[in-house]
Structures are given as C-alpha cells and as structure tokens.
Amino acid sequence: MLNIEKIRKDFPILQCTMHGKPLIYLDSSNTSQKPNGVIDAITHYYKNYNANIHRSIYELSAKATHLYEKTRTNIKEFINAKSTQEIIFTKGTTEAINLVASSLSFSEGDEIIVSTMEHHSNLVPWQKLGVKLRIIPISDKGELDLGAYQNLFNSHTKMVAITHASNVLGTINPIKEITKIAHQHQVAVLVDGAQAFPHLPVDVEDLDCDFYAFSSHKAYGPTGVGVLYGKKDLLEKMSPYQGGGNMIERVSLTDFTCNQLPYKFEAGTPNIADVIAFDAAINYIKSIGFENIMRHEQNLLHYATEKLNNIDGLRIIGNASKKLGVISFVMKEIHPHDIGTILDHEGIAVRAGHHCAMPLMERFKVPAMVRVSFGIYNTEKEIDHLSLALKTAERIFA
Ligand code: PLP
C-alpha cells in the first residue's frame, strides 16, 4: 500500500491554504504539482551548473551538457525508444505536434484522421496546413467508434493523429490497435500522449506508433519542457523545424547542412534547467511505480464516480470502460463556471470551461463542463469534501 500522507509531504504546495481552507488540488490534468526533488533540481542547476550546453569546452558547460543529455537517456529508457536520437526536446506537447505538422511534407488533397475528442493542440496544427480532417466519431459513453475509423482510410490518408487519453472524458484509447490498422494502410500515427504519459506506462516499441508527444508539467515536472518521440527513419526524412544555432552541421552565406538527430530539431539554447529537472520528475514516478500509481488513481476514480453519481442533478460525461482518473460533469441548475467559483471558496481547485476541446463540447451539446482530475497525492477525504461542497451548491441553487 502507498503511504499517501508521506507522498503529500513531497509536494510543498499541498500545505497551502486557499480562502483560509486547506488546498484540495483536483486539477492535475491541467498541470500537476511538483515534488521537492524537481523544485530542488532547478535551483541546484542554477547554483552549480549554469552554462550553455553543446558548445563550450570548459568543465561547467560539460557538466550541464551531461545532465541535459542524462534526461534524454532516462526518457529513452522510460518509454522504451530504440535510440536517444529519437527523443527531441520541445516546449511541450503542443510544440511537439506543431513540429511534426511543419516538418513533414503535406500537399493539397492530403487527409489526416483525428477524433472528436482531440485537444485543440491536436486539431489546429493540422487545420493550419489546409488538409482535410476526417473525424473518428465517439459513442455517448465517450469511446471511439473503431468500425467508423477503419472506413476513413483512402488513398489520400497521410496520417492518423490521435490522443492516447482524453483530457475531458478520461477515455484511454486502444493505441496499439489503432496503429496496427493505420499501418495496414501504410499510414503513420502520431499519438498525443499529454494525458496518458503521467498515469500509465508508455512503451513506444509495443505501441509501434511513429510519433509520441508529451509534456513534463503534467508528469510532476516543470513547465516549458516536452518531448517528441519519433521513429528515426521518419525523423531523418523530415525537414528541420526551426533554423539557428545547434541544429546545423555547417553554414555558409548561402546555405547550410543539418546537424544529426536529435539536434537537427533543437535550434537555439533550450530550456536547460527544466529539462534537467524533468529527469527528477521521471525518477520520482519510477520511485513510486506505475502499478502503484494506477491502482491509487483507479481507486480514486471509482470512489469519486460513486460519490458524484449520488448528487441530484449531476451528470457525469464520459463513462468509457477504460478511463484515467478524470471526471467531467455538468449540473442541472448551475453553470460550470459558478461551480468552479463555489468550489474555489472551499479551497478546491477544479477546471471549468471548454477544456481546449470545443468540438467535444459540441458533441455532448454543452457549452462547458467541470472537470476533476487526480494525481498521486489525492485522497478519498478530499473527494468527500468535494462531494459535500457540490451537495451544498446543489441545495442553494435548487
Ligand atoms: N493534448 C492534450 C490531450 C492535453 O490535455 C493538453 C493539455 O492540456 C495538450 C495536448 C497540450 O499540452 P501542453 O499545453 O503542455 O503543450
């Protein structure tokens, strides 16, 4: 059994109060809180190793470069990639997807398959290309219609871009099956792993996806860092994303040649401190173990689902058989923003709004939803407080 009280002590922010009440943080899908090890790694870097990387021969720079590259190796092993050349540091999931959209070549008439449950980050970069999006529909439970998916392929299909898990519904999609079908049509698959990466083990070799994008800040790491995993042969063929220092091998006044992978896609000085601190976040997850993380978060999901289903006028949206610890809901008489404000006054942080998934709001015919999402530090007691606050709100508005 996990000692959650001990885990909570690793997260200094959880000792805070909001409106005079102990903070109950139920918004980890938005961004997770950070353990001491991650916070300390940032200051430790600036106090002891601050230097630019990959370009200076003095010891300080060599140390900083070593730590930066150590994170890359750790991530490579963590997601079971074949080579560190397949791990590209970005600002986050959004930039990783934009990188693929800009660097792969698309032409007029190309088609990309996406789903109704995509975050705007996995819609807008493709819409900007002017290609046609073919949409996988979802059921009322919030599961992909895989039969319809198979019928979306044709000779124009260039890519499948799909989320591993929905940030709104919590649905965990069958990526292995989706990839297998796409590959039968010789189509590459990009997986938006922003939500899945912090909560379940990701093995890119087993999934066999061509690209996998994720963010550090949702996985107990700092903001401003993310990763694009890509199969080496595909990355080799892609043009560089941005031009500048580090991404070149040679430059003349008229042209340039590219550096080798992964540096070809890492122009300019990167977010060194936060990449280094991301290593501490990965090690933190490893120290707890996904088996424990998943068991704890699934317990919270089931406990909270039962509690919320007992509140009059509350409707949970998204009841997939495989879900992350995410529950979105609406209440009959109360606007989601009002619920968010009422909960805030009880010290409870949840997200209310369209969750950067407007097409999904349309699918369920609601303007907005309230979302609670769990991390490793949440407890059943916090869910009891949430449930009580929602019952009070329901009574007041009724
Ligand atoms: N994709 C999904 C499913 C998300 O939930 C998010 C963020 O909420 C993103 C992409 C974008 O992530 P980031 O803002 O870290 O780039």
Side-chain angles (χ1 to χ4, degrees), residues 29-30 91-97 117-122 163-168 192-195 214-218 225 351 355-356 371:
S29 291
N30 204 350
K91 279 195 303 188
T93 307
T94 304
E95 190 176 46
I97 298 173
M117 66 171 85
E118 299 311 314
H119 188 278
H120 298 162
S121 296
N122 199 25
T163 193
H164 196 163
S166 162
N167 60 315
V168 180
D192 171 350
Q195 292 298 331
F214 53 97
S215 302
S216 146
H217 72 97
K218 294 184 196 282
V225 174
R351 184 155 175 208
H355 307 280
C356 299
R371 179 187 68 191

Side-chain angles (χ1 to χ4, degrees), residues 237-394:
K237 284 185 213 140
M238 286 159 56
S239 54
Y241 175 49
Q242 292 178 328
N246 197 49
M247 53 70 69
I248 49 83
E249 177 193 55
R250 190 196 55 80
V251 182
S252 76
L253 285 178
T254 49
D255 64 2
F256 69 95
T257 54
C258 285
N259 202 345
Q260 60 182 352
L261 288 173
Y263 312 113
K264 170 177 150 183
F265 291 107
E266 292 181 7
T269 301
N271 189 348
I272 305 168
D274 293 308
V275 166
I276 290 171
F278 190 17
D279 194 47
I282 303 275
N283 291 339
Y284 189 78
I285 292 176
K286 279 184 179 171
S287 73
I288 296 173
F290 271 123
E291 212 175 295
N292 289 324
I293 291 174
M294 290 193 300
R295 190 181 339 104
H296 178 64
E297 292 176 356
Q298 286 298 308
N299 283 344
L300 294 176
L301 173 69
H302 294 133
Y303 186 79
T305 303
E306 207 178 305
K307 286 260 166 190
L308 296 194
N309 272 334
N310 275 329
I311 297 173
D312 284 343
L314 186 150
R315 178 164 66 97
I316 292 178
I317 298 177
N319 294 293
S321 58
K322 285 193 176 160
K323 270 185 80 167
L324 292 179
V326 173
I327 305 176
S328 289
F329 63 88
V330 288
M331 288 179 80
K332 227 178 186 171
E333 307 291 344
I334 325 178
H335 191 279
H337 287 149
D338 291 331
I339 299 171
T341 306
I342 292 166
L343 294 179
D344 176 44
H345 282 273
E346 296 302 317
I348 304 173
V350 299
R351 184 155 175 208
H354 56 62
H355 307 280
C356 299
M358 286 185 181
L360 192 61
M361 300 300 117
E362 241 174 71
R363 162 66 179 81
F364 284 98
K365 299 188 171 51
V366 292
M369 299 180 195
V370 182
R371 179 187 68 191
V372 298
S373 54
F374 307 120
I376 189 62
Y377 31 66
N378 290 120
T379 63
E380 290 185 357
K381 208 168 129 202
E382 290 180 314
I383 294 167
D384 293 341
H385 281 292
L386 169 75
S387 161
L388 207 66
L390 288 172
K391 278 184 183 157
T392 310
E394 194 269 330

Side-chain angles (χ1 to χ4, degrees), residues 152-172:
L152 293 177
F153 288 88
N154 61 41
S155 59
H156 301 289
T157 314
K158 191 70 189 282
M159 169 86 107
V160 174
I162 185 86
T163 193
H164 196 163
S166 162
N167 60 315
V168 180
L169 308 169
T171 311
I172 302 171

